[in-house]
């Protein structure tokens, strides 16, 4: 197999390799390997417990790196072991190609070109999802995946399900991954974005054979269920940890405060009433007693109502530490109005505990809703007055 010296030098300069996970793809694997070898000699094939004649095919190419094990463990494990092997061999990047012949080796140089200007980018090969023979379920699944990727990371992209990717292994580090099957490709993408790794896309060609010739190891019900569970977990982590963490670090930068004031507060394209409504709604959502889901609901409702998401998100942090005990205390205080003789007194210095909240949950819930409404209305009124004054002066 003749390898292009120019392209091979490109791979060697970046310390990059092509990584091909495979399981019972003997009919297409050899052409995929040949295609990769025509661009670089740095090829890693992970034999994920294949039971066909995959091993015999790989023996024809003694120059490639091989990782083999049995039994079959799933694509996630194959990729994870391929990443680990590549790091141990001194590679900084791998470009993953599926072994079913869908990906074209001619797109490999374009993937590498994306890291010339930004070497720490995770690059995804974006497919043309409107082309001939594209399965309809793929288009739906990709839109579904794109939506949840946006919710979990705030990033929009054309294709989050493509397996044709360039991974910056050194930048990603040796992470303890969770997933073992197809859902791993979602996990690695979201957790890389959380780590601050830039995600970018480049157009690639893709071949989808006619339905009768198509071989897929994807099990729709089981794998889609696993993906749904993963997205549920990722969304919870996003709004319980990632968003508050990013918000805290955002607050530490002085230039962000200036940008928020100039672009969101003083922006003349939005009325004072709309801005005040966003602030009031954010305060309401920060206090209303749906702990763990406040930011998620606030984010989704602000999209539906077309409110200023930055202001809603900022105001919704009214109940984050160290303000949390004060919110709980005043919620109990407001709840006394509704509980009558059964109302309980809560001492601020001694009794603001999880047990106290649990034992007097009804009073807390009534009071928190009351406080949320009152605080939201007050925030709206005060914000409206201040905006009218400052924006007029501006």
């Amino acid at each position: 197999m003749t390898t292009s010296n120019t392209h091979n030098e490109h791979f060697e300069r970046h310390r990059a390799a092509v990584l091909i996970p495979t399981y019972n793809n003997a009919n297409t694997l050899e052409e995929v390997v040949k295609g990769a070898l025509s661009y670089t000699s740095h090829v890693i094939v992970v034999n994920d417990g294949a039971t066909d004649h995959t091993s015999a095919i790989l023996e024809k190419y003694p120059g490639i790196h091989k990782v083999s094990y049995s039994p079959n463990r799933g694509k996630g494990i194959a990729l994870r072991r391929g990443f680990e092997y590549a790091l141990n061999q001194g590679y900084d990047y791998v470009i993953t190609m599926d072994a079913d012949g869908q990906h074209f080796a001619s797109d490999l140089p374009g993937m590498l070109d994306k890291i010339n200007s930004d070497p720490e980018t995770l690059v995804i090969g974006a497919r043309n999802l409107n082309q001939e023979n594209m399965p309809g379920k793929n288009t739906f699944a990709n839109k579904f995946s794109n939506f949840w990727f946006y919710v979990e990371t705030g990033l929009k992209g054309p294709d989050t399900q493509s397996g044709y990717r360039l991974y910056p292994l050194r930048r990603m580090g040796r992470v303890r991954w969770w997933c073992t099957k197809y859902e791993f490709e979602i996990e690695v993408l979201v957790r890389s974005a959380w780590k601050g790794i830039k995600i970018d896309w480049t157009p690639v060609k893709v071949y989808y054979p006619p339905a009768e010739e198509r071989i897929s190891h994807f099990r729709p019900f089981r794998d889609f269920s696993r993906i749904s569970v993963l997205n549920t977990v990722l969304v919870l982590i996003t709004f319980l940890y990632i968003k508050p963490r990013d918000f805290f670090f955002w607050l530490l930068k002085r230039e962000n405060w200036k940008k928020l004031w100039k672009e969101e507060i003083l922006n003349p394209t939005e009325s004072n009433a709309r801005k005040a409504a966003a602030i009031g709604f954010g305060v309401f959502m920060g206090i209303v007693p749906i702990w763990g889901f406040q930011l998620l609901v606030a984010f989704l409702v602000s999209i539906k109502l077309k409110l200023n998401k930055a202001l809603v998100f900022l105001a919704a942090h009214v109940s984050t530490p160290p303000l949390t005990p004060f919110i709980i205390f005043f919620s109990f205080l407001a709840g006394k109005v509704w509980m009558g003789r059964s109302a309980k007194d809560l001492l601020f210095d001694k009794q603001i505990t999880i047990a106290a909240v649990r034992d007097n949950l009804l009073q807390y819930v009534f009071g928190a809703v009351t406080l949320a409404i009152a605080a939201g209305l007050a925030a709206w009124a005060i914000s409206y007055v201040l905006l009218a004054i400052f924006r007029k002066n501006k």
Side-chain angles (χ1 to χ4, degrees):
M1 173 62 59
T2 302
T3 301
S4 168
N5 290 332
T6 301
H7 293 306
N8 195 52
E9 289 172 2
H10 200 180
F11 272 85
E12 292 181 346
R13 184 168 69 253
H14 287 293
R15 300 193 64 79
V18 175
L19 173 62
I20 306 171
T22 184
Y23 171 63
N24 289 354
N25 295 115
N27 293 334
T28 54
L29 175 62
E30 187 163 10
E31 289 303 314
V32 174
V33 172
K34 285 181 179 179
L37 287 173
S38 67
Y39 284 86
T40 180
S41 59
H42 300 277
V43 176
I44 305 169
V45 178
V46 180
N47 180 358
D48 182 26
T51 56
D52 56 9
H53 56 285
T54 290
S55 297
I57 292 173
L58 296 181
E59 288 175 1
K60 299 179 183 179
Y61 303 92
I64 67 175
H65 299 275
K66 305 179 188 69
V67 179
S68 299
Y69 52 86
S70 186
N72 170 255
R73 297 291 305 280
K75 189 177 184 181
I77 292 294
L79 289 171
R80 287 164 55 175
R81 294 196 178 183
F83 291 174
E84 187 70 22
Y85 178 86
L87 283 168
N88 291 338
Q89 294 298 311
Y91 290 108
D92 293 337
Y93 302 90
V94 292
I95 300 178
T96 57
M97 295 180 67
D98 290 344
D100 57 6
Q102 291 185 13
H103 301 151
F104 290 82
S106 57
D107 286 315
L108 288 170
M111 301 286 282
L112 277 181
D113 286 342
K114 295 292 289 186
I115 59 172
N116 283 333
S117 58
D118 197 342
E120 294 190 340
T121 304
L122 192 161
V123 184
I124 304 172
R127 303 161 294 174
N128 176 7
L129 298 177
N130 297 315
Q131 72 177 59
E132 185 180 2
N133 286 335
M134 171 65 71
K137 63 181 180 181
N138 285 34
T139 303
F140 168 78
N142 194 59
K143 290 180 179 179
F144 179 86
S145 179
N146 292 349
F147 169 78
W148 286 113
F149 180 69
Y150 173 68
V151 172
E152 292 151 5
T153 67
L155 302 175
K156 291 185 178 181
D159 189 355
T160 54
Q161 287 206 314
S162 172
Y164 207 166
R165 301 179 180 183
L166 183 150
Y167 290 101
L169 297 182
R170 296 293 173 188
R171 177 67 175 85
M172 290 163 58
R174 296 178 185 270
V175 180
R176 294 186 64 179
W177 304 106
W178 311 325
C179 300
T180 62
K181 306 294 183 181
Y182 282 97
E183 73 276 7
F184 171 76
E185 290 181 301
I186 297 173
E187 179 198 355
V188 68
L189 201 58
V190 172
R191 293 182 66 187
S192 293
W194 286 351
K195 198 172 182 178
I197 296 174
K198 180 181 178 182
I199 312 294
D200 202 356
W201 285 261
T202 187
V204 297
K205 301 181 293 294
V206 63
Y207 169 70
Y208 277 100
E212 62 275 9
E213 299 177 15
R214 202 171 295 147
I215 298 176
S216 174
H217 302 299
F218 186 84
R219 300 160 299 178
F221 177 77
R222 187 176 300 180
D223 288 321
F224 190 77
S225 298
R226 295 172 70 98
I227 290 171
S228 297
V229 170
L230 173 64
N231 275 318
T232 300
V233 173
L234 293 176
V235 167
L236 289 174
I237 294 174
T238 295
F239 287 96
L240 293 178
Y241 172 68
I242 299 298
K243 293 295 185 182
R245 178 203 69 179
D246 292 347
F247 178 73
F248 175 76
F249 287 125
W250 186 90
L251 289 178
L252 296 179
K253 297 180 180 180
R254 185 178 180 182
E255 61 270 21
N256 288 334
W257 285 95
K258 293 181 178 179
K259 183 178 180 181
L260 177 66
W261 181 259
K262 182 179 180 180
E263 296 183 5
E264 303 296 343
I265 304 296
L266 300 179
N267 189 337
T269 61
E270 192 173 36
S271 69
N272 292 340
R274 294 288 295 177
K275 287 184 180 296
I279 295 171
F281 175 70
V283 170
F284 169 81
M285 288 306 309
I287 299 175
V288 75
I290 51 172
W291 297 96
F293 296 93
Q294 291 164 313
L295 292 178
L296 174 60
V297 174
F299 178 78
L300 295 177
V301 175
S302 65
I303 293 176
K304 181 68 175 177
L305 298 180
K306 297 182 179 180
L307 294 174
N308 188 311
K309 292 185 287 296
L311 293 179
V312 170
F313 189 74
L314 184 67
H317 282 77
V318 66
S319 63
T320 55
L323 298 176
T324 307
F326 295 93
I327 298 297
I328 295 176
F329 174 75
F330 286 110
S331 294
F332 268 97
L333 198 61
K336 292 181 66 176
V337 176
W338 303 101
M339 300 303 294
R341 294 182 179 180
S342 62
K344 306 290 184 182
D345 288 320
L346 188 68
L347 298 180
F348 187 83
D349 59 341
K350 295 181 180 180
Q351 297 181 15
I352 299 182
T353 64
I354 298 298
V357 173
R358 184 183 63 245
D359 293 341
N360 304 280
L361 183 61
L362 192 59
Q363 180 175 330
Y364 164 70
V365 170
F366 283 172
V369 172
T370 303
L371 181 64
I373 294 172
L377 291 173
W380 177 86
I382 294 171
S383 299
Y384 184 82
V385 172
L386 292 176
L387 285 166
I389 294 172
F390 282 103
R391 295 183 83 190
K392 183 177 180 180
N393 292 340
K394 187 69 177 179

